[in-house]
Amino acid sequence: MGKSRARRFRRPALGPAGTGQPQQGEPGPEEEPAAELLDKLQHPSAEVREYACASISKLLQQKHVIPAFLQRDVVRCLGPLLMDHSLAVRETAAGALRNLSACGGFEVCDDMVTNDIMTPLVALLKECSTELDANQLSPKKYRETNKNYIEDIANEAINLLWNICECNNTAVYIFNKEGCLEAVLHYMKKFSTNVDLAISVANCLQAVTEDNPDLLSSFNASAQQVLETVMLCPESTMKHVLLRTLIAGTIWNIKDTIPPGSLGSMVNAILKIFSESLAIDAGETIIRMNEAEKNRLKVDVEAETEENMSDVVDNCVLSEDDNMEEIPKGKLRRENDVSDLLPSDKWELKEVTALLTAQQTALEIIVNMCCSEDPSDDEWEELSSSDESDLFMENSYNEGGGLLMTPLCLSDEVHSAFLNNLIPKKILEKTAFPNSVALDICMHNPSWKPLIKKLNAVQCRALTCLHSILLVSDVDCLGGASALQSLAQHLSQLIFSKTELPADTEFLEAVTSALRALLQTMASKNISQCMTPEQLLALCEAGIHSSNASVRVNVVSILGISGSVLAKGQDTAETVKMIGKFLLEVAMKESSLVVAGEALDALFDVFADGKEAEKAAVQIKLLPTLKEFQPVFRTRMRKEGKGQCSTDQLCVLDNVRMNLRRFIAYQETLGKTPT
């Protein structure tokens, strides 16, 4: 509730303008049109107001012009137009505010709420909800050709509400207080005829139901029936797959309203939807849809050619008979239609985008279902790289082959639903690299190129799911030693499949988090590890230079886990020595106190036991080095700890500080201090 996934605000601006910077003291090129357009919002002509709103909407997709509009109070200028007498003005004003909220980020959304955008927005949502039924009774009043103004306005308004509620607690409070749920659910009833509106509503519902106990009482039997009806809709388009996935996520958010006796069947229905979504091959879908687009465009070109030939014939006939009046051919759009500002319709691309969004959403919800505690205020992605993820809990398990999962927070009934829907197997399939043919299609088609990022995002979410599975599962439940070794080989192939390690920090964080959890599980059960020392050191050498501190924490922990196993073997002193030198250097030179603490913790694990570890410790002068470093670390904790670390991180670091003192004392008892 009141939280946002930051990626929603990382979308690229559409139609970027020039990048020239204004000189100090002079108005920038974006400031003059801002002032002029905002003035036109007060024009008596509805067409001028509509044009101004549409122009502002387009400009606000460019982040660098947003400050110029905010300085001129754009929210208070556009807000009243949400209730303008002209339906076209309402729609374009809502669209402009939607773009402002989406492209402006958290602070802009906060500013919009401060400037009372919720008052006209709530009024608009309720009025549109009421007029949905009137629209059916008197369609001519609300329709122009094939355009349904009420539903289009509602779609823009719902998206605006979604953006604001995702990042502002006050907006969510107003949503609850004003009883907006009833109006929003009324829009959902249009899912069979307007799936785009339904998807917008589902996104909004998922945002406002997250960690919002005050809203639960509003989900009566009638409200739940609306959601259930949508979740059971049989349509097989990718948009409907996305719609069902989002509704399933909403139902999971309100699970406390479900009677205990119905919980098992409810979660089974949710997981069935996720399973169906994840079962679809996104790569094959891209290939198929791209071919469909080519065929459609070919037909369009042929039809246009025939129409042009018909025009030539008509013109020839007219020239022979001057008494005949020429009738102009109809146009697809009005000359001044503001829809020209929007991208052309690409249904094939939209279908693929809907599928990838559905799969990403399903994976994110599954991660949350695996967690025994609520996520922190940070993004859900941080679950994949928690600094305290060494804790492995005991659970009840079922026997069976393959990769299985036992979510800590779920009952036996719900656990069975995970297994029955083959969720773990499908998650593992999604951790593979995307289809190379599909990637090639996207790479060479500008409008499809953004899909590459979405394909990679699905892979990263799947790896995060795998990480969660490993944290809550027993070895037997995971399929035994051979299954874990195969999984280790799979993750190694993902990391070392190319000559250089992946540069994508999101992928590197996800895959190292999964590998860290896997190696810890294997080490705890004395299962031999498949990665060679050379591979481990190569991973750590590259990972320690990542700009992402979570990646650095993961690779240091991985090295500590593997080093502790090697230290108990035979003739491994030289490898343990290299690992020790690497970890010492990280501990002493790492800029992040958290990573430095993780390196010390890894050192304690590597040199805790074993003759090979004792030999290596003497060779790298571990004891005198740590004794010299101990006061330095304490000083860093005092100076940097409170200002740079969270409370949880400080607790971990304090344990490291105490363990450092104990480890030094332990090393001294071994009598291995060099003379």
Side-chain angles (χ1 to χ4, degrees):
M1 148 179 167
K3 290 178 282 187
S4 168
R5 300 180 185 91
R7 62 182 174 276
R8 280 184 47 74
F9 298 106
R10 293 177 192 149
R11 63 184 73 176
L14 302 176
T19 57
Q21 298 295 321
Q23 295 181 3
Q24 189 173 3
E26 296 181 6
E30 68 275 6
E31 294 181 10
E32 293 179 3
E36 181 181 344
L37 289 169
L38 290 173
D39 286 342
K40 288 182 178 179
L41 294 178
Q42 308 302 320
H43 198 279
S45 168
E47 289 186 358
V48 174
R49 296 197 302 276
E50 179 188 0
Y51 167 79
C53 288
S55 300
I56 291 171
S57 180
K58 187 176 182 181
L59 285 172
L60 289 175
Q61 293 170 2
Q62 306 167 39
K63 271 194 171 184
H64 71 278
V65 307
I66 290 177
F69 281 96
L70 292 176
Q71 290 168 9
R72 287 165 173 76
D73 221 2
V74 64
V75 177
R76 291 194 180 274
C77 292
L78 285 170
L81 297 184
L82 292 178
M83 300 302 293
D84 195 275
H85 294 301
S86 166
L87 296 179
V89 173
R90 289 188 184 191
E91 182 184 359
T92 48
L97 288 165
R98 171 187 176 181
N99 285 348
L100 178 63
S101 65
C103 300
F106 295 97
E107 292 183 1
V108 170
C109 285
D110 290 341
D111 184 65
M112 294 175 77
V113 175
T114 301
N115 282 282
D116 198 28
I117 192 59
M118 290 298 289
T119 296
L121 178 56
V122 169
L124 175 63
L125 287 166
K126 290 184 176 181
E127 182 173 314
C128 285
S129 177
T130 302
E131 292 181 351
L132 273 181
D133 297 327
N135 189 11
Q136 299 299 319
L137 298 174
S138 181
K140 291 184 179 179
K141 180 179 178 182
Y142 300 104
R143 290 177 181 268
E144 181 177 328
T145 61
N146 292 324
K147 184 173 180 59
N148 186 320
Y149 267 115
I150 295 300
E151 292 184 13
D152 290 347
I153 292 169
N155 191 41
E156 296 292 351
I158 287 291
N159 275 281
L160 171 59
L161 180 67
W162 168 29
N163 291 344
I164 295 175
C165 286
E166 252 196 339
C167 59
N168 186 276
N169 287 332
T170 303
V172 177
Y173 170 79
I174 294 171
F175 182 96
N176 296 344
K177 180 173 176 287
E178 294 295 331
C180 294
L181 180 64
E182 182 180 355
V184 170
L185 285 174
H186 194 52
Y187 297 132
M188 180 60 75
K189 294 177 182 178
K190 294 290 181 182
F191 77 93
S192 60
T193 57
N194 192 337
V195 68
D196 291 325
L197 175 60
I199 288 172
S200 298
V201 172
N203 275 309
C204 185
L205 283 174
Q206 196 179 20
V208 298
T209 55
E210 184 181 0
D211 299 330
N212 186 2
D214 294 338
L215 187 62
L216 295 183
S217 60
S218 300
F219 278 94
N220 53 28
S222 175
Q224 292 182 16
Q225 181 63 45
V226 173
L227 299 181
E228 183 180 345
T229 300
V230 178
M231 200 165 73
L232 296 176
C233 71
E235 285 82 357
S236 59
T237 72
M238 298 302 105
K239 284 187 177 181
H240 285 89
V241 169
L242 173 57
L243 176 60
R244 287 193 292 268
T245 301
L246 292 168
I247 292 298
T250 298
I251 293 177
W252 173 254
N253 287 344
I254 64 167
K255 61 184 178 296
D256 290 343
T257 67
I258 307 297
S262 303
L263 182 64
S265 59
M266 180 271 289
V267 176
N268 191 68
I270 289 175
L271 293 175
K272 182 180 179 182
I273 288 172
F274 293 166
S275 179
E276 291 171 352
S277 169
L278 295 173
I280 301 172
D281 189 320
E284 292 298 325
T285 303
I286 287 175
I287 296 170
R288 189 175 69 255
M289 286 296 173
N290 181 254
E291 189 63 29
E293 182 185 65
K294 289 179 180 177
N295 292 335
R296 176 176 61 82
L297 294 175
K298 181 180 178 182
V299 170
D300 290 347
V301 169
E302 291 174 351
E304 184 177 351
T305 302
E306 291 179 5
E307 184 176 346
N308 290 338
M309 290 297 294
S310 177
D311 286 344
V312 171
V313 173
D314 290 344
N315 289 334
C316 290
V317 172
L318 289 171
S319 64
E320 293 175 0
D321 187 354
D322 294 335
N323 293 325
M324 292 183 64
E325 181 180 356
E326 181 179 359
I327 302 174
K329 292 288 179 181
K331 296 184 179 179
L332 292 177
R333 296 177 180 164
R334 292 178 292 137
E335 290 183 3
N336 297 322
D337 193 343
V338 295
S339 62
D340 288 333
L341 297 173
L342 303 175
S344 59
D345 182 54
K346 292 178 175 289
W347 72 266
E348 301 90 354
L349 178 58
K350 290 179 180 179
E351 281 286 279
V352 178
T353 302
L355 170 63
L356 293 174
T357 304
Q359 292 182 342
Q360 180 176 329
T361 301
L363 291 166
E364 291 175 5
I365 297 170
I366 291 171
V367 168
N368 291 337
M369 295 175 85
C370 290
C371 296
S372 59
E373 297 179 356
D374 292 334
S376 68
D377 287 339
D378 294 321
E379 295 304 311
W380 82 274
E381 290 94 335
E382 293 189 9
L383 293 169
S384 68
S385 58
S386 170
D387 296 342
E388 294 81 44
S389 62
D390 321 300
L391 183 60
F392 292 83
M393 295 152 242
E394 295 182 0
N395 306 281
S396 58
Y397 305 103
N398 292 340
E399 294 183 359
L403 194 60
L404 305 180
M405 169 166 37
T406 304
L408 295 177
C409 54
L410 302 182
S411 64
D412 290 339
E413 276 185 318
V414 179
H415 170 222
S416 298
F418 271 88
L419 307 185
N420 292 340
N421 289 285
L422 302 176
I423 295 292
K425 177 179 180 293
K426 290 167 184 176
I427 289 171
L428 186 58
E429 291 172 353
K430 296 301 175 188
T431 63
F433 283 119
N435 184 307
S436 59
V437 177
L439 282 177
D440 189 62
I441 288 171
C442 297
M443 186 65 68
H444 293 90
N445 190 330
S447 60
W448 290 59
K449 197 168 185 178
L451 293 180
I452 297 175
K453 187 175 181 180
K454 287 187 170 291
L455 285 165
N456 292 335
V458 169
Q459 182 191 26
C460 289
R461 298 304 184 273
L463 286 165
T464 302
C465 276
L466 180 59
H467 169 256
S468 298
I469 293 169
L470 290 163
L471 289 180
V472 298
S473 297
D474 181 79
V475 171
D476 292 335
C477 181
L478 292 169
S482 60
L484 292 183
Q485 288 175 329
S486 297
L487 182 55
Q489 290 180 336
H490 170 66
L491 294 178
S492 298
Q493 288 171 356
L494 292 180
I495 296 172
F496 298 108
S497 59
K498 299 177 182 178
T499 54
E500 295 183 359
L501 287 179
D504 182 355
T505 56
E506 185 180 11
F507 169 77
L508 204 53
E509 178 181 353
V511 73
T512 53
S513 294
L515 183 60
R516 173 184 179 179
L518 174 61
L519 293 179
Q520 180 65 61
T521 301
M522 295 174 73
S524 67
K525 298 299 181 180
N526 297 319
I527 300 172
S528 60
Q529 301 182 12
C530 299
M531 292 183 69
T532 66
E534 291 76 19
Q535 285 180 320
L536 286 168
L537 285 169
L539 170 62
C540 294
E541 287 284 358
I544 204 63
H545 295 105
S546 171
S547 59
N548 187 321
S550 296
V551 173
R552 303 202 299 276
V553 165
N554 284 338
V555 297
V556 165
S557 178
I558 287 169
L559 201 55
I561 294 166
S562 300
S564 65
V565 173
L566 289 169
K568 297 179 180 65
Q570 294 182 348
D571 300 323
T572 58
E574 195 61 31
T575 302
V576 174
K577 174 183 170 182
M578 288 190 295
I579 291 174
K581 289 175 67 175
F582 180 90
L583 292 173
L584 268 178
E585 185 174 3
V586 172
M588 292 187 291
K589 296 182 179 180
E590 168 62 46
S591 60
S592 166
L593 186 59
V594 172
V595 180
E598 187 71 33
L600 285 172
D601 203 43
L603 276 169
F604 305 155
D605 290 338
V606 174
F607 293 93
D609 190 24
K611 294 295 182 182
E612 299 300 307
E614 292 179 18
K615 293 178 188 177
V618 173
Q619 293 174 11
I620 65 173
K621 300 181 179 179
L622 179 64
L623 180 57
T625 302
L626 289 180
K627 290 177 72 173
E628 184 180 346
F629 179 65
Q630 186 179 21
V632 176
F633 185 70
R634 285 201 302 261
T635 301
R636 281 196 69 182
M637 281 194 63
R638 283 197 304 269
K639 291 183 176 180
E640 303 173 27
K642 290 185 179 180
Q644 300 180 8
C645 302
S646 67
T647 302
D648 289 342
Q649 289 172 333
L650 284 175
C651 289
V652 174
L653 287 168
D654 195 53
N655 284 332
V656 172
R657 178 184 59 80
M658 291 188 293
N659 288 336
L660 176 57
R661 175 172 53 81
R662 295 167 182 162
F663 184 76
I664 289 173
Y666 163 71
Q667 286 289 314
E668 287 176 333
T669 62
L670 295 177
K672 297 297 183 179
T673 306
T675 57

